[in-house]
Amino acid sequence: MAALSGVRWLTRALVAAANPGAWRSLSTSVVAQAASRSQAEDVRVEGAFPVTMLPGDGVGPELMHAVKEVFKAASVPVEFQEHHLSEVQNMASEERLEQVLSSMKENKVAIIGKIHTPMEYKGELASYDMRLRRKLDLFANVVHVKSLPGYMTRHNNLDLVIIREQTEGEYSSLEHESARGVIECLKIVTRTKSQRIAKFAFDYATKKGRSKVTAVHKANIMKLGDGLFLQCCEEVAELYPKIKFETMIIDNCCMQLVQNPYQFDVLVMPNLYGNIIDNLAAGLVGGAGVVPGESYSAEYAVFEMGARHPFAQAVGRNIANPTAMLLSASNMLRHLNLEYHSNMIADAVKKVIKVGKVRTRDMGGYSTTTDFIKSVIGHLHPHGG
């Protein structure tokens, strides 16, 4: 476990209130083992890193199968503890949520699919996905939008990062009918959380050698709410004189991203804007199937797809693109300080795309998910370092 000493620089360095005592050695959770029947199937590997796996809905389980197959072929020392939480498959309950939380709190690292949120109101405004993120305080969502060599899109050679605050804002789950036919939906903006996400963005830019941070807002209309967010970003920016700081109104940002995305480097924004921009930017480089994402708290790291879509219409058809999930899994391995395996998998995925012979339907090809997985495994090779 000595390798752990250098891991997780992001969640240590990027979070102002990081708790050093929280970084316990990764050990198998006895509580989580007992709590979930699905874990009876887990293969216990001596010295492996335990990681919580939450397949989610839609093509999530198929994408997780891809991850497991590639990890197996690459002999990755990771042991998945699989849990199932779904509002649409009747697999959601307080007990299941607590099992997932227990496992994630023990392991500190998780890989998850999209937990689909039904539109029907059934007495609870906060979805299980939102509750999971809130209980773990996964405040920073990071989506690295980067063009894949060999896959031509409207804009090529793109490289920008979207950092989204995802524990407050419009997704506060505070709604009520104040009078018949009148709904009030509250947007919550706090100084503490606005400063925290701004600091995370500037620390990220510093660590990654990036030169500019753009704060995205609508303070011209929401003068107090977005005004506070913008003010916090401006205050934090003064502490980082080497990083250029700009501001941009959200509607203009959408247009600029489509017209000239090369002007952006790191973008930081509140919850709803981040959700929209994540998807817009993912579309610039090939869509939801190719962009990885991750979420951080002071203690935990969760790896997922950058644009969260269940892609329900593809379920069982063997056509889902595993690129985003495999790249996210590679990022997870880097977080665990497993650079060797991380590079091996990322290089194999990028090689398959660059060669261009095996492409799923969303990338204009006719290959199946299975074809793609086999091709990635075929391109796995020892990687230096």
Side-chain angles (χ1 to χ4, degrees):
M1 291 298 173
L4 280 174
S5 60
V7 310
R8 308 185 179 107
W9 60 266
L10 264 172
T11 40
R12 278 185 179 173
L14 300 185
V15 184
N19 176 8
W23 294 99
R24 298 189 297 271
S25 62
L26 289 176
S27 57
T28 306
S29 164
V30 177
V31 176
Q33 283 177 41
S36 176
R37 288 182 222 155
S38 65
Q39 288 190 19
E41 301 165 13
D42 292 342
V43 179
R44 301 287 160 216
V45 184
E46 189 66 33
F49 291 85
V51 169
T52 304
M53 176 180 274
L54 200 59
D57 296 310
V59 295
E62 295 170 52
L63 299 177
M64 291 304 177
H65 174 71
V67 171
K68 287 188 279 190
E69 288 292 303
V70 172
F71 273 33
K72 184 179 176 182
S75 301
V76 177
V78 160
E79 165 202 318
F80 289 119
Q81 296 175 2
E82 195 167 329
H83 293 264
H84 294 276
L85 186 67
S86 169
E87 292 188 61
V88 293
Q89 297 176 50
N90 206 23
M91 288 194 291
S93 63
E94 292 301 317
E95 186 185 3
R96 280 183 183 270
L97 181 62
E98 287 307 315
Q99 289 170 9
V100 172
L101 288 168
S102 176
S103 176
M104 290 172 80
K105 286 177 180 177
E106 185 69 28
N107 297 333
K108 309 292 188 196
V109 180
I111 184 166
I112 69 174
K114 165 65 177 171
I115 303 170
H116 185 60
T117 304
M119 288 192 191
E120 302 82 33
Y121 173 57
K122 297 179 179 176
E124 176 60 63
L125 287 167
S127 69
Y128 277 84
D129 185 37
M130 286 165 57
R131 289 167 67 192
L132 190 68
R133 293 176 196 280
R134 277 196 206 137
K135 284 178 180 288
L136 295 173
D137 195 27
L138 294 165
F139 70 91
N141 178 239
V142 181
V143 176
H144 187 184
V145 178
K146 189 172 169 59
S147 296
L148 292 165
Y151 180 49
M152 302 296 288
T153 56
R154 184 181 297 273
H155 298 287
N156 296 296
N157 302 313
L158 274 185
D159 185 355
L160 55 95
V161 178
I162 298 154
I163 295 176
R164 163 193 177 193
E165 205 296 322
Q166 61 176 5
T167 57
E168 59 173 18
E170 297 82 0
Y171 296 4
S172 63
S173 304
L174 296 173
E175 297 181 82
H176 62 273
E177 189 171 22
S178 53
R180 186 179 292 276
V182 180
I183 301 293
E184 289 184 335
C185 179
L186 303 183
K187 169 176 174 170
I188 307 299
V189 182
T190 62
R191 175 173 292 278
T192 302
K193 291 190 175 183
S194 297
Q195 286 178 334
R196 180 170 66 168
I197 197 68
K199 187 175 190 312
F200 184 98
F202 278 94
D203 281 343
Y204 183 98
T206 303
K207 284 285 181 183
K208 296 288 190 178
R210 291 181 172 266
S211 58
K212 183 171 76 170
V213 172
T214 303
V216 181
H217 64 93
K218 191 66 178 171
N220 57 324
I221 301 298
M222 285 170 270
K223 297 184 185 339
L224 298 182
D226 279 23
L228 176 59
F229 174 81
L230 188 57
Q231 181 188 341
C232 290
C233 289
E234 289 169 344
E235 290 170 0
V236 171
E238 291 178 8
L239 305 175
Y240 298 82
K242 293 182 180 179
I243 305 288
K244 187 178 179 184
F245 176 63
E246 291 182 351
T247 66
M248 189 173 287
I249 293 173
I250 177 63
D251 35 351
N252 183 35
C253 180
C254 290
M255 181 177 70
Q256 295 295 331
L257 270 168
V258 173
Q259 285 191 322
N260 177 25
Y262 302 101
Q263 65 185 285
F264 297 107
D265 194 350
V266 174
L267 299 95
V268 61
M269 58 199 78
N271 209 335
L272 176 62
Y273 310 156
N275 196 348
I276 295 167
I277 295 295
D278 280 348
N279 285 265
L280 190 157
L284 297 177
V285 295
V290 298
V291 180
E294 54 229 44
S295 294
Y296 294 100
S297 74
E299 298 181 67
Y300 313 115
V302 172
F303 296 83
E304 56 196 339
M305 294 175 71
R308 302 167 190 157
H309 290 283
F311 199 20
Q313 65 270 31
V315 174
R317 295 170 62 194
N318 199 21
I319 61 172
N321 187 348
T323 300
M325 197 59 85
L326 288 172
L327 291 177
S328 190
S330 169
N331 292 340
M332 179 188 77
L333 296 179
R334 186 168 290 110
H335 177 77
L336 290 170
N337 213 29
L338 294 169
E339 293 278 346
Y340 172 86
H341 296 91
S342 171
N343 291 332
M344 190 197 305
I345 291 170
D347 288 352
V349 172
K350 290 172 185 174
K351 186 76 181 291
V352 170
I353 289 170
K354 192 169 187 179
V355 171
K357 289 182 180 178
V358 179
R359 287 204 172 151
T360 48
R361 291 192 187 185
D362 60 311
M363 299 182 79
Y366 297 96
S367 302
T368 64
T369 309
T370 306
D371 293 334
F372 195 93
I373 297 167
K374 284 180 180 175
S375 187
V376 169
I377 291 172
H379 282 87
L380 290 172
H381 59 81
H383 190 286

